[in-house]
Each structure stands twice: as C-alpha cells, then as structure tokens.
Amino acid sequence: MFEQLDFELAPGGALVLTGPNGSGKSSLLRLMAGLTPPLGGALSWDGTAVAEDPAAHRTRVHLVGHQDALKPVLTVAETLGFSAELRGTSADRVLPALQRFHLAELAELPCRVLSAGQRRRLALARLLASPAPLWLLDEPTTGLDDASMLDLVAAIAEHRAGGGLVAIATHLSLPLPVASTLPLQEFAPGRSAG
C-alpha cells in the first residue's frame, strides 16, 4: 500500500493524513494501532519495534475508527466506565469526559437511542475517560456539529499540551497548530520519484 513511507511523531505532535479515498489513510491508522502488521519495514515506539510487545503497544493507543463501537444495551455512562476499567483508569474520569462532550444529561440512556452525532461524541469521550498517549482518529468529525468540533479540537490541544500524540485522517481542515501533513498519495506503490 505504501512505499518509502517514513515519519516520526514527537511528544505533543500531530500528524494529519491526507489523500483521496482509497489512498490508505485508514489502513495506516490501523497499522499504527498494531491491528495490521507492516508487510515490510518496522513500526517503532521510542526506538523499540512494536512487534516485540504488541500488548504493551495496545495500552499506548486509542483508535477511533469509522464505527463508534458502542454496545446498544449499555448506558452512556456504563460505556465509558467499561472503557476506563479495561484500561485500569479511575472511574472518576467518566463524568468529566461526559461533560466535555455534553453527554452528562444522557448518562443513563442506553446507547441504542443515541443520534449519530451523540454516538460519535461518546466514542470521542472515551479518549478522555480511558486515556492513552497516542490518539488515532479516523474522520473524527463525521456526524459532529460545529460546537462538537470545537470540543474535539480543544480536547486534542489539551492532549498535545500534555505530551500526547495525535494522528488524524480527515478531509476537513482542522485548526491544529504545528501539525505535520502526510499526503499518502505521494507514497503509493509504483509512483515515480519526481
């Protein structure tokens, strides 16, 4: 899918993946998450190959993909509590995460009744309720209104200010200061160097 692709993401860094549909943005995020092994080359964290300890790598990564991955029978609060418990995080983070994405008033509702925008906001609230150093966001603004997009941008800024890393696949321009852009179409196999 890629040739000669090489990049580094430093603490506090943001990488914006661009390119037309089918250029590999989602595939690269899945590779970075450790869900897909590289066919060649290596994925490393602090100089150590991720393949040496994939379980440790999974604790460092939070992937928000196209699917919101919500269980319809769990309530909004239970969803975040479950995520926090899986990561060994305090349940004290659940309410602030719900408040950040304006979901606190929906805490006791089952996920099955949420709108598309509410489902996306809940998926993003997981980032705060069960934190990880590396956020991998695949079209995170899908279904969000303008106010929710501002909440997302603010959460990303705070994460980066604390040394967190973010890689985002998006077709929209997000206000992310000092973000690197990686146009994936430039690394398609067989593309001649020019």
Side-chain angles (χ1 to χ4, degrees), residues 81 102 107-108 134-135 141 166 171-172 183:
H102 306 282
E108 299 308 315
L134 175 59
W135 292 0
T141 59
V166 180
H171 289 101
L172 296 179

Side-chain angles (χ1 to χ4, degrees), residues 144-151:
L144 296 184
D145 59 21
D146 290 344
S148 298
M149 282 181 45
L150 292 176
D151 291 334

Side-chain angles (χ1 to χ4, degrees), residues 2 24 42 67-68 84 93 123 129 135 143 157 174:
F2 312 109
Q67 302 295 322
D68 295 322
R93 299 182 72 100
W135 292 0
L174 292 174

